[in-house]
Amino acid sequence: MANEGAGGERNHGRDESLAGRSAKSRGLDAARGETELSRRSLFKKTLGGALLLTAAGAVPLALRRTQLREPPAGRTLRFFTLAEYSIVAAVAERVLAESVPPELEGHAPGGAPDLPAASAADIASQPAAPAPASLDVAGRIDAFLAPSDPATARDFKQLLALFDNALFSLVSGGPARPFTQMSPAQQDEQLGRWARSRLPMLRTGYQAMKRLCAAIYFSAPETYASVGYPGPPYELVRAVNAAMAPAGAAPANPRPAQSGATSVSGAHR
Amino acid sequence: MSGAILPGDQVAGNLTLRPDVCVVGSGPGGAMVASRLARAGLSVVVLEEGGYFTKDAFDMQESTAYPRLYQDRGNRATADLSISVLQGRAVGGGSVVNWTTSFRTPDHVVKHWQQKEGGAIGPKDLTPHFEEIESRLGINQVELDDVNANNRTLYDGCKKLGWQVDTIKRNVRGCLKSGYCGMGCPVGAKQSAALTYLPDAVAAGANLYANCRVQELEVKGDRVVAAIGVILDPLTQQPTGKLVRVEARATVVSGGALNSPALLLRSGLTQGPVGRFTWLHPVVAVSAAYRDRIEGFYGAPQSVASHQFAQRTEGAGFFMEAAPVHPMLSGIALGGFGARLRGNMRGLAHVATTIALMIDGFDESESGGTVTLRPDGGPKLDYPQDERHHETFRAGMKAMARLQLANGALEVDTLHTRSLRITKESDLAQIDSEPLGPNRCAVFTAHQMGGCRMGADPKRSVVDPHLRHHSVHNLWVIDGSVFPTSLGVNPMESIYGVSSWGAAQLLAALKSS
């Protein structure tokens, strides 16, 4: 595939060996494994072997810890611990990264960047997108998840712990470092391994993180202009509602100004 | 005497009510039942878990609308997250947030229900109900001139390939074509249940309690004694500790697919295949990039449908429609991450989105989805994908890519985790070789059906052909959960139609008892 170079294939191969090992030795039932993230069991079982315990001893303590980052002033965490917040912030940075790390050029785990209509004047004139950290994506995810039921909360927290675990990274074919201490290229490779893993549970975990980051970021009005979205037609709606006598009357102006196009060829330039 | 719609903060303390009928849920099923029964002179109480919102509250922001107006705050999905479930939750249910597409139930579907499950509804039986509904909801055919560019790519692409395609009918009056149906109509043009059958019911004396989650039905022997609801805080959606106890002559469960079977399970009513045979019209999508602006975030979100592939011999049928292109949903759905995701998002205004909806439930081999209970009592949905799904998903993606390329798209992207890029016919082979399975390709559902199947055989169904529970005699289920299969068309009008028919059955039963 054009968008999956040697790096992607290599990662895929490693990941299969992990899946094979745990499935064989533990009888991990993929069909059951995919139904719940809640199982700490996967983590425990995968780390059960003596070999892995030896490997554990070889990882310096400092490298097993989450690299912490502080939320911006005024953000009080209601759902995450500081470590969990830091993991999500690191994930958001890569999921929403604008460029591929130089060493991954040509085989980006997230897919090759390319925009066929990029030459269009309106796209070229769109402003740059704000950095995920400037919107505090992780903090907004914290606020969004705060009312979660206990089971969902536990699942998500366990997912984050596994995602930032140095040993799990090692046995999955990555470096013996937590995600938060990896280089951007290593982080992208880990996201790619999870995204295309043979283990359904890891794919579920990747999707949970990716969708939350994308949902929180792209639903923020600060990002609208960067994707060419002028935003809701507030003025028009206000005018129509003001003009509308009893409910059901025909609107004064039946069409928003922005959506003059009724066919592709008629779209405004 | 007129009734009222009462949000949770207007309930002062614990309540015990003794109406003729208690209706659980206020979507197209519950609203229809409440309206018909209240107008027939019965006292009706409706309990609705969602909040009550009017057009001024609809701010056209995805970050407001999904947590407020959708199940599980917009996060509902199968347990493995492999299928995202868009399902409304508000006074008016899914009709508040759906995209207004209105189809009558196809005759062959109703006949299938009769033949397979001993259904009591014949195709002609629904006709007078649909006529009344279409009149009440302003259901009319879309003019081609009112089709936005996003839908137009589907229309023109099908025409270029000689495929069946047509504009659809929508339930709107004075539509602004702003594009925000999915976030609640900001001008009250969409004729949702909250603007039609529920006001009819209230005008005829029904009382509706919003922010009231029905925890369980108290059942003694073959009778529901009471429905027990907990009042939620309208802002936080958390329980307030206040209870509503409704002791009615008859109780109607109209929570919709997923929620209706979950309520029966919470109530210990495990008779029959409750929760099983849940159908989703599983959706795969493609995004097509054009040189010109499409602005799929504006204009009626759905105005065109193609049923070219609804009757296939090689596997399940599917039909094709458009989906609105707002930033949050797009960001969730698009494949890849980092620069790939950002690049695709940057071109959002140039993207057309087409969806293929698999018509599930018509093959003997299919078991569909299964609803069980989550630890918090909510519905846990599992919907395994098998080869039949994958064959249909691939056929759907290829058909959509073909029509978009025929229409002049620069490129078609699939929603595989590793998004495929299709620029020419020979690229379509990639779709056959790319692995499918849970979370390998984005799959959605906006149409939930089944889980409380109707039928003559108590071993194969939850309610009888007249929608009365097989073993609890003052309990009815009237909503889309009783459908034995999916429909092959958007379900809203079918849910209204079957519920209108079901309300007549219930009324007859109450009069004779």
Side-chain angles (χ1 to χ4, degrees), chain B residues 280-332:
Chain B
L280 300 177
H281 280 163
V283 169
V284 290
V286 298
S287 76
Y290 280 84
R291 194 166 302 285
D292 294 317
R293 283 177 78 84
I294 301 291
E295 302 201 325
F297 26 76
Y298 297 137
Q302 277 183 343
S303 53
V304 163
S306 168
H307 284 77
Q308 173 72 21
F309 300 102
Q311 312 282 339
R312 294 165 73 241
T313 48
E314 52 280 54
F318 61 89
F319 58 114
M320 297 185 289
E321 295 180 333
V325 188
H326 290 107
M328 187 187 87
L329 268 195
S330 303
I332 291 170

Short mmCIF file of all heavy atoms in Angstrom, two decimals, chain B residues 280-332:
data_model
loop_
_atom_site.label_atom_id
_atom_site.label_comp_id
_atom_site.label_asym_id
_atom_site.label_seq_id
_atom_site.Cartn_x
_atom_site.Cartn_y
_atom_site.Cartn_z
N LEU B 280 -28.88 -3.31 13.07
CA LEU B 280 -28.26 -1.98 13.12
C LEU B 280 -28.13 -1.27 11.78
O LEU B 280 -27.68 -0.13 11.75
CB LEU B 280 -26.85 -2.10 13.74
CG LEU B 280 -26.76 -2.65 15.17
CD1 LEU B 280 -25.29 -2.75 15.59
CD2 LEU B 280 -27.53 -1.78 16.16
N HIS B 281 -28.49 -1.91 10.66
CA HIS B 281 -28.09 -1.31 9.38
C HIS B 281 -26.63 -0.85 9.46
O HIS B 281 -26.34 0.34 9.28
CB HIS B 281 -28.96 -0.10 9.02
CG HIS B 281 -30.31 -0.43 8.45
ND1 HIS B 281 -31.32 0.50 8.39
CD2 HIS B 281 -30.81 -1.57 7.89
CE1 HIS B 281 -32.40 -0.05 7.83
NE2 HIS B 281 -32.12 -1.31 7.52
N PRO B 282 -25.68 -1.76 9.73
CA PRO B 282 -24.30 -1.30 9.93
C PRO B 282 -23.80 -0.50 8.73
O PRO B 282 -24.03 -0.87 7.58
CB PRO B 282 -23.51 -2.61 10.08
CG PRO B 282 -24.52 -3.62 10.51
CD PRO B 282 -25.80 -3.22 9.82
N VAL B 283 -23.15 0.61 9.04
CA VAL B 283 -22.79 1.61 8.03
C VAL B 283 -21.28 1.65 7.83
O VAL B 283 -20.53 1.76 8.79
CB VAL B 283 -23.25 3.01 8.49
CG1 VAL B 283 -22.65 4.10 7.61
CG2 VAL B 283 -24.76 3.11 8.50
N VAL B 284 -20.85 1.56 6.57
CA VAL B 284 -19.48 1.95 6.24
C VAL B 284 -19.56 3.21 5.37
O VAL B 284 -20.58 3.45 4.72
CB VAL B 284 -18.70 0.84 5.51
CG1 VAL B 284 -18.40 -0.32 6.45
CG2 VAL B 284 -19.43 0.36 4.27
N ALA B 285 -18.51 3.97 5.37
CA ALA B 285 -18.54 5.26 4.67
C ALA B 285 -17.27 5.45 3.87
O ALA B 285 -16.25 4.79 4.11
CB ALA B 285 -18.70 6.40 5.68
N VAL B 286 -17.33 6.32 2.90
CA VAL B 286 -16.12 6.81 2.25
C VAL B 286 -16.19 8.33 2.21
O VAL B 286 -17.27 8.92 2.25
CB VAL B 286 -15.96 6.28 0.79
CG1 VAL B 286 -15.85 4.77 0.79
CG2 VAL B 286 -17.07 6.77 -0.11
N SER B 287 -15.02 8.95 2.16
CA SER B 287 -15.00 10.40 1.95
C SER B 287 -14.33 10.67 0.62
O SER B 287 -13.28 10.09 0.31
CB SER B 287 -14.29 11.10 3.11
OG SER B 287 -12.90 10.95 3.02
N ALA B 288 -14.96 11.50 -0.18
CA ALA B 288 -14.48 11.78 -1.53
C ALA B 288 -14.05 13.23 -1.60
O ALA B 288 -14.80 14.13 -1.22
CB ALA B 288 -15.58 11.51 -2.55
N ALA B 289 -12.84 13.46 -2.07
CA ALA B 289 -12.31 14.82 -2.15
C ALA B 289 -12.55 15.41 -3.54
O ALA B 289 -12.30 14.73 -4.55
CB ALA B 289 -10.82 14.83 -1.83
N TYR B 290 -13.04 16.63 -3.56
CA TYR B 290 -13.31 17.32 -4.83
C TYR B 290 -12.46 18.59 -4.93
O TYR B 290 -12.06 19.15 -3.91
CB TYR B 290 -14.80 17.69 -4.92
CG TYR B 290 -15.66 16.53 -5.34
CD1 TYR B 290 -16.11 15.60 -4.40
CD2 TYR B 290 -16.00 16.34 -6.67
CE1 TYR B 290 -16.88 14.51 -4.78
CE2 TYR B 290 -16.78 15.26 -7.07
CZ TYR B 290 -17.23 14.35 -6.13
OH TYR B 290 -17.99 13.28 -6.51
N ARG B 291 -12.23 19.00 -6.17
CA ARG B 291 -11.47 20.24 -6.36
C ARG B 291 -12.28 21.44 -5.85
O ARG B 291 -11.73 22.37 -5.30
CB ARG B 291 -11.12 20.42 -7.84
CG ARG B 291 -10.06 21.46 -8.08
CD ARG B 291 -9.48 21.40 -9.49
NE ARG B 291 -8.90 20.11 -9.86
CZ ARG B 291 -7.72 19.65 -9.43
NH1 ARG B 291 -7.01 20.38 -8.58
NH2 ARG B 291 -7.27 18.49 -9.83
N ASP B 292 -13.59 21.38 -6.02
CA ASP B 292 -14.44 22.49 -5.59
C ASP B 292 -14.92 22.27 -4.16
O ASP B 292 -14.89 21.17 -3.64
CB ASP B 292 -15.66 22.60 -6.51
CG ASP B 292 -15.26 22.99 -7.92
OD1 ASP B 292 -14.42 23.89 -8.08
OD2 ASP B 292 -15.79 22.38 -8.87
N ARG B 293 -15.39 23.35 -3.56
CA ARG B 293 -15.96 23.23 -2.22
C ARG B 293 -17.28 22.46 -2.28
O ARG B 293 -18.08 22.66 -3.18
CB ARG B 293 -16.19 24.62 -1.62
CG ARG B 293 -14.94 25.29 -1.11
CD ARG B 293 -15.23 26.69 -0.59
NE ARG B 293 -15.85 26.72 0.74
CZ ARG B 293 -15.16 26.65 1.88
NH1 ARG B 293 -13.86 26.57 1.86
NH2 ARG B 293 -15.79 26.69 3.04
N ILE B 294 -17.48 21.59 -1.33
CA ILE B 294 -18.73 20.83 -1.21
C ILE B 294 -19.55 21.38 -0.04
O ILE B 294 -20.77 21.47 -0.10
CB ILE B 294 -18.44 19.33 -0.96
CG1 ILE B 294 -17.61 18.73 -2.11
CG2 ILE B 294 -19.73 18.56 -0.76
CD1 ILE B 294 -18.32 18.59 -3.41
N GLU B 295 -18.86 21.74 1.03
CA GLU B 295 -19.51 22.28 2.23
C GLU B 295 -20.61 21.36 2.74
O GLU B 295 -21.76 21.76 2.94
CB GLU B 295 -20.07 23.69 1.95
CG GLU B 295 -18.98 24.65 1.50
CD GLU B 295 -19.33 26.11 1.69
OE1 GLU B 295 -20.51 26.47 1.53
OE2 GLU B 295 -18.41 26.88 2.03
N GLY B 296 -20.22 20.12 2.97
CA GLY B 296 -21.18 19.12 3.43
C GLY B 296 -21.70 19.37 4.83
O GLY B 296 -22.53 18.62 5.33
N PHE B 297 -21.21 20.44 5.48
CA PHE B 297 -21.75 20.80 6.80
C PHE B 297 -23.02 21.63 6.67
O PHE B 297 -23.72 21.84 7.65
CB PHE B 297 -20.70 21.53 7.65
CG PHE B 297 -19.62 22.27 6.87
CD1 PHE B 297 -19.91 23.47 6.25
CD2 PHE B 297 -18.35 21.75 6.76
CE1 PHE B 297 -18.94 24.15 5.53
CE2 PHE B 297 -17.35 22.43 6.04
CZ PHE B 297 -17.65 23.64 5.42
N TYR B 298 -23.29 22.13 5.47
CA TYR B 298 -24.51 22.92 5.25
C TYR B 298 -25.48 22.19 4.32
O TYR B 298 -25.07 21.37 3.50
CB TYR B 298 -24.18 24.28 4.63
CG TYR B 298 -23.30 25.18 5.49
CD1 TYR B 298 -22.25 25.89 4.93
CD2 TYR B 298 -23.53 25.32 6.85
CE1 TYR B 298 -21.45 26.72 5.70
CE2 TYR B 298 -22.73 26.14 7.63
CZ TYR B 298 -21.69 26.84 7.05
OH TYR B 298 -20.90 27.65 7.81
N GLY B 299 -26.72 22.54 4.41
CA GLY B 299 -27.74 21.95 3.55
C GLY B 299 -28.38 20.75 4.22
O GLY B 299 -27.81 20.16 5.15
N ALA B 300 -29.57 20.38 3.77
CA ALA B 300 -30.25 19.21 4.35
C ALA B 300 -29.28 18.04 4.33
O ALA B 300 -28.75 17.68 3.28
CB ALA B 300 -31.50 18.88 3.55
N PRO B 301 -29.04 17.41 5.51
CA PRO B 301 -27.99 16.38 5.57
C PRO B 301 -28.26 15.18 4.68
O PRO B 301 -27.34 14.63 4.11
CB PRO B 301 -27.96 15.97 7.05
CG PRO B 301 -29.00 16.75 7.75
CD PRO B 301 -29.63 17.72 6.81
N GLN B 302 -29.51 14.78 4.59
CA GLN B 302 -29.86 13.67 3.69
C GLN B 302 -31.01 14.09 2.80
O GLN B 302 -32.06 14.52 3.29
CB GLN B 302 -30.28 12.42 4.48
CG GLN B 302 -29.09 11.60 4.94
CD GLN B 302 -29.50 10.33 5.65
OE1 GLN B 302 -30.64 10.17 6.09
NE2 GLN B 302 -28.56 9.40 5.78
N SER B 303 -30.82 13.95 1.49
CA SER B 303 -31.91 14.28 0.58
C SER B 303 -31.99 13.31 -0.60
O SER B 303 -32.86 13.44 -1.44
CB SER B 303 -31.76 15.72 0.08
OG SER B 303 -30.46 15.93 -0.46
N VAL B 304 -31.07 12.34 -0.64
CA VAL B 304 -30.95 11.43 -1.77
C VAL B 304 -30.69 10.02 -1.24
O VAL B 304 -30.03 9.87 -0.22
CB VAL B 304 -29.78 11.89 -2.69
CG1 VAL B 304 -29.35 10.79 -3.63
CG2 VAL B 304 -30.14 13.15 -3.46
N ALA B 305 -31.23 9.01 -1.92
CA ALA B 305 -30.90 7.63 -1.56
C ALA B 305 -30.85 6.78 -2.82
O ALA B 305 -31.59 7.03 -3.77
CB ALA B 305 -31.93 7.05 -0.59
N SER B 306 -29.97 5.79 -2.82
CA SER B 306 -29.91 4.82 -3.91
C SER B 306 -30.14 3.42 -3.35
O SER B 306 -29.45 3.00 -2.41
CB SER B 306 -28.55 4.85 -4.60
OG SER B 306 -28.43 3.72 -5.47
N HIS B 307 -31.12 2.74 -3.92
CA HIS B 307 -31.38 1.35 -3.53
C HIS B 307 -30.96 0.38 -4.62
O HIS B 307 -31.46 -0.74 -4.71
CB HIS B 307 -32.86 1.18 -3.15
CG HIS B 307 -33.19 1.74 -1.79
ND1 HIS B 307 -33.33 3.08 -1.56
CD2 HIS B 307 -33.34 1.14 -0.59
CE1 HIS B 307 -33.57 3.28 -0.26
NE2 HIS B 307 -33.59 2.11 0.34
N GLN B 308 -30.00 0.82 -5.44
CA GLN B 308 -29.50 -0.01 -6.54
C GLN B 308 -29.08 -1.41 -6.06
O GLN B 308 -29.28 -2.39 -6.74
CB GLN B 308 -28.30 0.69 -7.19
CG GLN B 308 -27.56 -0.12 -8.24
CD GLN B 308 -28.35 -0.27 -9.53
OE1 GLN B 308 -29.26 0.53 -9.80
NE2 GLN B 308 -28.05 -1.30 -10.31
N PHE B 309 -28.48 -1.47 -4.85
CA PHE B 309 -27.91 -2.73 -4.38
C PHE B 309 -28.69 -3.30 -3.19
O PHE B 309 -28.14 -4.05 -2.39
CB PHE B 309 -26.43 -2.54 -4.02
CG PHE B 309 -25.60 -2.08 -5.19
CD1 PHE B 309 -25.22 -0.75 -5.31
CD2 PHE B 309 -25.23 -2.97 -6.18
CE1 PHE B 309 -24.47 -0.31 -6.40
CE2 PHE B 309 -24.48 -2.55 -7.28
CZ PHE B 309 -24.10 -1.22 -7.39
N ALA B 310 -29.96 -2.94 -3.08
CA ALA B 310 -30.75 -3.40 -1.93
C ALA B 310 -31.09 -4.89 -2.04
O ALA B 310 -31.26 -5.56 -1.02
CB ALA B 310 -32.02 -2.57 -1.81
N GLN B 311 -31.18 -5.40 -3.24
CA GLN B 311 -31.50 -6.82 -3.42
C GLN B 311 -30.33 -7.49 -4.11
O GLN B 311 -30.30 -7.55 -5.33
CB GLN B 311 -32.76 -6.97 -4.29
CG GLN B 311 -33.94 -6.11 -3.90
CD GLN B 311 -34.68 -6.66 -2.70
OE1 GLN B 311 -34.58 -7.84 -2.40
NE2 GLN B 311 -35.41 -5.82 -2.01
N ARG B 312 -29.39 -7.99 -3.36
CA ARG B 312 -28.24 -8.65 -3.97
C ARG B 312 -28.32 -10.15 -3.74
O ARG B 312 -28.81 -10.59 -2.71
CB ARG B 312 -26.93 -8.12 -3.37
CG ARG B 312 -26.65 -6.67 -3.68
CD ARG B 312 -25.56 -6.11 -2.77
NE ARG B 312 -24.24 -6.62 -3.10
CZ ARG B 312 -23.48 -7.33 -2.28
NH1 ARG B 312 -23.89 -7.61 -1.07
NH2 ARG B 312 -22.29 -7.75 -2.66
N THR B 313 -27.83 -10.92 -4.67
CA THR B 313 -27.83 -12.38 -4.49
C THR B 313 -26.52 -12.84 -3.87
O THR B 313 -26.45 -13.88 -3.23
CB THR B 313 -28.03 -13.09 -5.84
OG1 THR B 313 -27.14 -12.51 -6.79
CG2 THR B 313 -29.46 -12.94 -6.32
N GLU B 314 -25.45 -12.04 -4.04
CA GLU B 314 -24.13 -12.50 -3.56
C GLU B 314 -23.95 -12.29 -2.06
O GLU B 314 -22.98 -12.76 -1.47
CB GLU B 314 -23.01 -11.86 -4.36
CG GLU B 314 -23.00 -10.35 -4.51
CD GLU B 314 -23.92 -9.74 -5.56
OE1 GLU B 314 -25.13 -10.02 -5.53
OE2 GLU B 314 -23.43 -8.91 -6.35
N GLY B 315 -24.88 -11.60 -1.41
CA GLY B 315 -24.77 -11.36 0.03
C GLY B 315 -25.88 -10.43 0.45
O GLY B 315 -26.88 -10.29 -0.26
N ALA B 316 -25.70 -9.80 1.61
CA ALA B 316 -26.73 -8.90 2.09
C ALA B 316 -26.83 -7.67 1.18
O ALA B 316 -25.83 -7.22 0.62
CB ALA B 316 -26.40 -8.45 3.52
N GLY B 317 -28.03 -7.13 1.07
CA GLY B 317 -28.21 -5.90 0.32
C GLY B 317 -27.71 -4.70 1.11
O GLY B 317 -27.45 -4.79 2.32
N PHE B 318 -27.54 -3.59 0.41
CA PHE B 318 -27.22 -2.34 1.10
C PHE B 318 -27.83 -1.20 0.33
O PHE B 318 -28.18 -1.35 -0.85
CB PHE B 318 -25.70 -2.15 1.26
CG PHE B 318 -24.93 -2.06 -0.03
CD1 PHE B 318 -24.71 -0.84 -0.66
CD2 PHE B 318 -24.40 -3.21 -0.61
CE1 PHE B 318 -23.99 -0.76 -1.84
CE2 PHE B 318 -23.66 -3.14 -1.80
CZ PHE B 318 -23.46 -1.91 -2.42
N PHE B 319 -28.04 -0.07 1.00
CA PHE B 319 -28.49 1.14 0.31
C PHE B 319 -27.53 2.26 0.66
O PHE B 319 -26.77 2.18 1.61
CB PHE B 319 -29.95 1.46 0.62
CG PHE B 319 -30.32 1.67 2.07
CD1 PHE B 319 -30.74 2.92 2.53
CD2 PHE B 319 -30.29 0.63 2.98
CE1 PHE B 319 -31.11 3.12 3.85
CE2 PHE B 319 -30.66 0.82 4.32
CZ PHE B 319 -31.07 2.06 4.76
N MET B 320 -27.55 3.27 -0.20
CA MET B 320 -26.55 4.33 -0.09
C MET B 320 -27.22 5.68 0.12
O MET B 320 -28.21 6.00 -0.54
CB MET B 320 -25.67 4.36 -1.35
CG MET B 320 -24.88 3.08 -1.54
SD MET B 320 -23.73 3.13 -2.95
CE MET B 320 -24.88 3.10 -4.32
N GLU B 321 -26.66 6.45 1.04
CA GLU B 321 -27.15 7.79 1.33
C GLU B 321 -25.94 8.68 1.61
O GLU B 321 -24.80 8.22 1.54
CB GLU B 321 -28.11 7.75 2.53
CG GLU B 321 -29.38 6.95 2.21
CD GLU B 321 -30.38 6.87 3.37
OE1 GLU B 321 -29.96 6.97 4.53
OE2 GLU B 321 -31.58 6.69 3.08
N ALA B 322 -26.20 9.93 1.95
CA ALA B 322 -25.12 10.84 2.31
C ALA B 322 -25.12 11.04 3.82
O ALA B 322 -26.10 10.74 4.49
CB ALA B 322 -25.30 12.19 1.60
N ALA B 323 -24.01 11.52 4.35
CA ALA B 323 -23.94 11.88 5.77
C ALA B 323 -23.37 13.28 5.87
O ALA B 323 -22.49 13.64 5.08
CB ALA B 323 -23.07 10.89 6.53
N PRO B 324 -23.86 14.08 6.82
CA PRO B 324 -23.35 15.45 6.95
C PRO B 324 -21.87 15.44 7.35
O PRO B 324 -21.41 14.52 8.01
CB PRO B 324 -24.22 16.05 8.04
CG PRO B 324 -24.74 14.89 8.82
CD PRO B 324 -24.86 13.76 7.83
N VAL B 325 -21.16 16.47 6.96
CA VAL B 325 -19.70 16.52 7.15
C VAL B 325 -19.35 17.61 8.17
O VAL B 325 -18.89 18.68 7.81
CB VAL B 325 -18.99 16.79 5.81
CG1 VAL B 325 -17.48 16.64 5.97
CG2 VAL B 325 -19.49 15.83 4.73
N HIS B 326 -19.67 17.35 9.44
CA HIS B 326 -19.28 18.29 10.49
C HIS B 326 -17.94 17.85 11.08
O HIS B 326 -17.59 16.68 11.02
CB HIS B 326 -20.38 18.38 11.56
CG HIS B 326 -21.60 19.08 11.05
ND1 HIS B 326 -22.76 18.41 10.76
CD2 HIS B 326 -21.82 20.37 10.73
CE1 HIS B 326 -23.66 19.27 10.29
NE2 HIS B 326 -23.12 20.47 10.27
N PRO B 327 -17.20 18.80 11.67
CA PRO B 327 -15.82 18.48 12.04
C PRO B 327 -15.67 17.37 13.08
O PRO B 327 -14.78 16.52 12.95
CB PRO B 327 -15.28 19.80 12.59
CG PRO B 327 -16.22 20.86 12.17
CD PRO B 327 -17.53 20.22 11.88
N MET B 328 -16.50 17.34 14.11
CA MET B 328 -16.28 16.34 15.15
C MET B 328 -16.52 14.92 14.63
O MET B 328 -15.68 14.05 14.78
CB MET B 328 -17.17 16.61 16.36
CG MET B 328 -16.85 15.69 17.54
SD MET B 328 -18.02 15.86 18.93
CE MET B 328 -19.27 14.70 18.39
N LEU B 329 -17.68 14.71 14.01
CA LEU B 329 -17.98 13.37 13.49
C LEU B 329 -16.93 12.95 12.47
O LEU B 329 -16.52 11.79 12.43
CB LEU B 329 -19.36 13.34 12.84
CG LEU B 329 -20.55 12.95 13.69
CD1 LEU B 329 -21.75 12.62 12.79
CD2 LEU B 329 -20.26 11.77 14.59
N SER B 330 -16.49 13.90 11.65
CA SER B 330 -15.49 13.58 10.63
C SER B 330 -14.18 13.19 11.29
O SER B 330 -13.53 12.23 10.88
CB SER B 330 -15.28 14.77 9.70
OG SER B 330 -16.50 15.16 9.12
N GLY B 331 -13.77 13.95 12.29
CA GLY B 331 -12.52 13.67 12.98
C GLY B 331 -12.54 12.30 13.63
O GLY B 331 -11.53 11.58 13.65
N ILE B 332 -13.68 11.91 14.17
CA ILE B 332 -13.82 10.58 14.77
C ILE B 332 -13.73 9.50 13.69
O ILE B 332 -13.08 8.48 13.87
CB ILE B 332 -15.17 10.48 15.52
CG1 ILE B 332 -15.15 11.36 16.76
CG2 ILE B 332 -15.48 9.03 15.89
CD1 ILE B 332 -16.51 11.50 17.44
#
